[in-house]
């Protein structure tokens, strides 16, 4: 019997539940969101440890994307999980979260064509040599994308191995598990989509060929750390980062069915819509825990952090609800939603491509009376370069 069939109409966002070997105090998950606060070498520092520890009351934290190798790096100050220093930095983060009572997974992401030599030191790799259509943030500012190099069979096999090694390193760093990122226009999603995967070999063409890379990465990661420590993120139909899947309704049932045979502990659907036939099809096809991340307007985030949208997804069969910006601005989001306390407003100018504590660790929590307390002290410098748009 799946978790879906066990749910009753009385299930709420604040119920305790289980995820593999983890006991979760609620069904509210902090979604992974890139914040660009790691060091220039991809090493997480004390500021990141403070940020995540402040949010340890989430049912589960899925930490922001970390790259499994150097060529997979997307933007400046993105964390990695492929050097000893990066593993040690993440260990400081997980130690801080565990000390605050939290639970934590790490998302593994390879950018594929979403990368630049000025950032990574490498020409990007991708399923096909299809250039990213927009300028990219680099240490020297916005730069036009370069044409990626089409991955050889050796590139593919070594990248699969890098994901497995990154998963082992994440467990060594204290994470309870990892989330394989096959969404949002990054490398695995590029293999799924027709406009970025123009291959005619066994890694492209048919639906079976285009899902193969994601399946092989998840297989290798599950063999490395155990399927009960592995989640997978998908974003059916989401056209970010220049993606045009072309056959969304065909590719995702095939992908979900193939992944189900590998037994990952959860599937995480981005921008899930409870009224969508595809959401219903994925829920029926997926035998395990389904995390749903709702698409939210700024007004919905300001009004309730996504609580009502999450409740609708829970009623439609999701098991856990992942929220992003609500957790960014409210380190104690679960308690605020539970009690109906007011929410901090998101400051979008500090979301990405900036450095320092401002708009990161200086969002206040509630004090015992339910009033916004002063922002906690945070390590690291304040301020930094602001993005042109978020």
């Amino acid at each position: 019997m799946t978790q879906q069939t066990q749910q009753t109409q009385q299930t709420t966002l604040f119920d305790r539940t289980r995820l593999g070997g983890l006991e979760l105090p609620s069904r509210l998950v902090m979604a992974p969101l890139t914040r660009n606060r790691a060091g220039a070498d991809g090493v997480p520092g004390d500021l990141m440890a403070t940020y995540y520890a402040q949010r340890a009351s989430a049912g589960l934290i899925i930490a922001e994307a970390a790259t499994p190798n150097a060529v997979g790096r997307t933007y400046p100050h993105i964390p990695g999980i492929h050097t000893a220093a990066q593993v040690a930095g993440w260990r400081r983060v997980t130690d801080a979260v565990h000390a605050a009572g939290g639970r934590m997974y790490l998302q593994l992401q390879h950018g594929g064509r979403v990368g630049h030599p000025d950032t990574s030191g490498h020409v990007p790799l991708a399923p096909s040599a299809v250039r990213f259509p927009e300028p990219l943030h680099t240490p020297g500012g916005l730069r036009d994308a370069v044409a990626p190099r089409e991955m050889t069979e050796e590139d593919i096999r070594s990248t699969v191995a890098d994901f497995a090694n990154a998963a082992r390193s994440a467990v060594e760093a204290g994470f309870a598990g990892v989330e394989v990122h096959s969404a949002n226009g990054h490398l695995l999603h590029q293999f799924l989509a027709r406009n970025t995967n123009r291959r005619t070999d066994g890694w492209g063409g048919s639906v079976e060929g285009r899902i193969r890379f994601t399946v092989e990465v998840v297989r290798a990661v599950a063999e490395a750390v155990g399927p009960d420590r592995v989640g997978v993120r998908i974003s059916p139909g989401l056209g970010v980062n220049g993606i045009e899947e072309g056959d969304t309704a065909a590719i995702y049932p095939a992908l979900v069915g193939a992944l189900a045979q590998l037994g990952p502990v959860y599937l995480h659907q981005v921008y899930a819509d409870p009224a969508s036939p595809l959401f219903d099809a994925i829920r029926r096809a997926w035998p395990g825990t389904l995390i749903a991340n709702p698409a939210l307007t700024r007004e919905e985030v300001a009004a309730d952090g996504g609580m009502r949208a999450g409740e609708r997804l829970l009623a439609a069969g999701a098991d856990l609800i992942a929220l992003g910006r609500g957790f960014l601005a409210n380190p104690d989001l679960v308690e605020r939603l539970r009690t109906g306390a007011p929410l901090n407003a998101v400051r979008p100018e500090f979301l990405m491509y900036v450095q320092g504590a401002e708009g990161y660790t200086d969002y206040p929590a509630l004090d015992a009376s339910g009033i916004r307390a002063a922002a906690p002290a945070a390590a690291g410098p304040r301020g930094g370069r602001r993005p042109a748009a978020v």
Side-chain angles (χ1 to χ4, degrees):
M1 182 180 294
T2 69
Q3 280 191 296
Q4 179 195 11
T5 57
Q6 291 173 342
Q7 283 184 195
T8 69
Q9 293 182 346
Q10 288 73 43
T11 299
T12 77
L13 293 170
F14 308 106
D15 289 342
R16 301 184 71 85
T17 189
R18 294 195 64 84
L19 178 69
L22 290 178
E23 182 78 22
L24 308 186
S26 77
R27 295 176 183 268
L28 285 163
V29 175
M30 179 178 170
L33 288 109
T34 294
R35 302 303 307 275
N36 303 88
R37 260 67 170 202
D41 53 1
V43 175
D46 291 340
L47 191 64
M48 287 179 63
T50 298
Y51 169 74
Y52 282 113
Q54 288 173 346
R55 289 151 180 82
S57 58
L60 175 70
I61 294 172
I62 305 175
E64 65 201 88
T67 56
N69 54 30
V71 71
R73 195 174 195 193
T74 51
Y75 304 112
H77 297 281
I78 296 297
I81 186 69
H82 56 89
T83 72
Q86 291 165 358
V87 173
W90 277 120
R91 168 59 78 175
R92 290 192 292 273
V93 174
T94 61
D95 282 349
V97 170
H98 295 157
R103 299 135 300 276
M104 204 171 190
Y105 267 53
L106 177 65
Q107 187 183 78
L108 304 180
Q109 172 193 280
H110 188 300
R113 68 175 187 163
V114 186
H116 197 281
D118 289 0
T119 301
S120 69
H122 301 271
V123 174
L125 297 177
S128 301
V130 180
R131 187 192 303 264
F132 186 70
E134 303 169 8
L136 290 160
H137 287 271
T138 75
L142 285 174
R143 297 283 186 271
D144 288 339
V146 302
R149 180 168 63 80
E150 182 172 304
M151 296 174 76
T152 65
E153 184 79 19
E154 181 180 353
D155 291 329
I156 289 172
R157 295 296 180 188
S158 64
T159 302
V160 170
D162 287 342
F163 269 93
N165 289 331
R168 294 187 189 97
S169 293
V171 172
E172 178 187 344
F175 289 96
V178 296
E179 177 178 278
V180 175
H181 196 17
S182 185
N184 295 64
H186 297 291
L187 180 64
L188 277 66
H189 200 185
Q190 291 160 29
F191 269 91
L192 298 178
R194 281 178 168 172
N195 76 315
T196 48
N197 185 346
R198 301 178 182 177
R199 305 176 73 98
T200 57
D201 62 4
W203 301 96
S206 67
V207 166
E208 291 72 20
R210 282 181 287 126
I211 70 173
R212 183 182 173 193
F213 185 67
T214 292
V215 171
E216 291 305 315
V217 168
V218 174
R219 188 193 312 278
V221 170
E223 289 174 353
V225 298
D228 60 330
R229 291 179 178 268
V230 180
V232 185
R233 197 182 209 209
I234 59 173
S235 56
L238 187 63
V240 299
N241 284 324
I243 285 291
E244 298 173 13
E245 291 170 346
D247 54 355
T248 300
I251 202 162
Y252 282 95
L255 176 62
V256 171
L259 292 176
Q261 296 180 39
L262 302 177
V265 71
Y266 72 76
L267 186 69
H268 182 181
Q269 183 177 345
V270 177
Y271 285 10
D273 178 359
S276 165
L278 185 57
F279 175 80
D280 183 62
I282 289 172
R283 174 65 280 185
R284 286 186 282 105
W286 183 251
T289 296
L290 179 64
I291 302 178
N293 171 223
L296 300 172
T297 65
R298 290 186 179 183
E299 291 74 21
E300 287 174 312
V301 173
D304 66 3
M307 180 176 174
R308 281 188 285 273
E311 289 172 339
R312 290 192 292 271
L313 283 165
L314 202 63
D319 299 297
L320 302 173
I321 303 302
L323 300 176
R325 295 193 182 200
F327 272 109
L328 302 190
N330 299 277
D332 51 355
L333 179 66
V334 176
E335 184 61 20
R336 288 175 188 257
L337 297 184
R338 191 195 309 271
T339 62
L343 300 179
N344 296 322
V346 178
R347 287 173 278 166
E349 68 271 25
F350 294 109
L351 283 179
M352 294 177 64
Y353 314 122
V354 298
Q355 297 294 291
E358 193 169 6
Y360 188 59
T361 55
D362 63 346
Y363 283 107
L366 298 171
D367 65 18
S369 67
I371 305 299
R372 291 185 180 92
R382 296 173 62 83
R385 182 169 53 87
R386 301 189 183 188
V390 176

